[in-house]
């Protein structure tokens, strides 16, 4: 649906403005990137909003908050490691799919003590990698990395002995 709206309104779209420059030391930049990755899930580029969302997710369930934080932190670190644009990372653009995959794997689709977390880590890293690959195409990203990686992981875990699907 989002793609249909995107293509239907393409003549009306204007190019995105430039991203704000990076300010602060490495720690501040890392915190900004991680919290902005969480806030980008709801299309907001703001670390304070990311912090509030993270608090809300944690109040809803500590595992959900931890998975969101883990997904965003892994995305930020992996994006830097593979040479992503520092501005993309700073503004959380490499993090939102990883946040969603980590929550899906650790808190929604799988159960167990450690395997959901292992799949959350793998999924978060794969989401960043797929996003990097998709940036070279003309396909709008939206949440495609999250959707595709989640589907792929759910197919894979179906054939892995000992992995339990969440009830329901």
């Amino acid at each position: 649906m989002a793609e249909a709206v995107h293509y239907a309104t393409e003549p009306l779209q204007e190019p995105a403005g430039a991203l704000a420059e990076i300010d602060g030391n490495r720690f501040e930049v890392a915190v900004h990137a991680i919290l902005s990755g969480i806030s980008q899930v709801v299309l907001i580029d703001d670390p304070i909003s990311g912090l509030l969302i993270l608090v809300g997710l944690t109040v809803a369930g500590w595992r959900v908050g931890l998975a969101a934080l883990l997904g965003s932190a892994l995305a930020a670190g992996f994006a830097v490691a593979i040479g992503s644009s520092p501005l993309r990372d700073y503004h959380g653009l490499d993090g939102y799919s990883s946040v969603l995959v980590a929550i899906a794997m650790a808190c929604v689709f799988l159960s167990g003590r450690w395997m959901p977390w292992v799949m959350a880590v793998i999924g978060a890293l794969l989401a960043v990698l797929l996003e990097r690959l998709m940036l070279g195409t003309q396909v709008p990203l939206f949440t495609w990395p999250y959707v595709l990686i989640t589907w792929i992981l759910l197919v894979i875990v179906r054939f892995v002995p000992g992995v339990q699907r969440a009830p329901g």
Side-chain angles (χ1 to χ4, degrees), residues 75-153:
F78 190 59
V80 168
I82 63 174
S84 177
S85 161
L87 283 177
R88 282 188 58 78
D89 190 39
Y90 181 72
H91 290 282
L93 297 174
D94 289 323
Y96 65 91
S97 286
S98 294
V99 168
L100 295 172
V101 171
I103 292 171
M105 291 295 111
C107 306
V108 178
F109 293 116
L110 302 178
S111 64
R113 294 186 60 133
W114 60 272
M115 186 53 89
W117 295 101
V118 169
M119 296 308 290
V121 168
I122 292 169
L125 297 175
L126 288 174
V128 175
L129 190 58
L130 179 59
E131 185 172 306
R132 302 305 320 157
L133 294 172
M134 289 182 71
L135 282 174
T137 69
Q138 294 298 318
V139 177
L141 282 177
F142 301 121
T143 55
W144 279 115
Y146 153 65
V147 171
L148 294 174
I149 295 301
T150 300
W151 284 350
I152 290 167
L153 290 177

Side-chain angles (χ1 to χ4, degrees), residues 3-28:
E3 283 198 45
V5 171
H6 170 77
Y7 288 118
T9 61
E10 199 166 27
L12 304 172
Q13 297 172 18
E14 296 180 19
L19 296 174
E21 289 299 318
I22 299 173
D23 292 331
N25 63 37
R26 285 182 189 241
F27 178 76
E28 290 172 349

Side-chain angles (χ1 to χ4, degrees), residues 11-12 26 31 34 66 72 87-88 124 130 140 148 157 160 164:
L12 304 172
R26 285 182 189 241
V31 169
I34 292 167
L66 181 59
S72 189
L87 283 177
R88 282 188 58 78
L130 179 59
L148 294 174
V157 299
V160 175
Q164 301 170 348

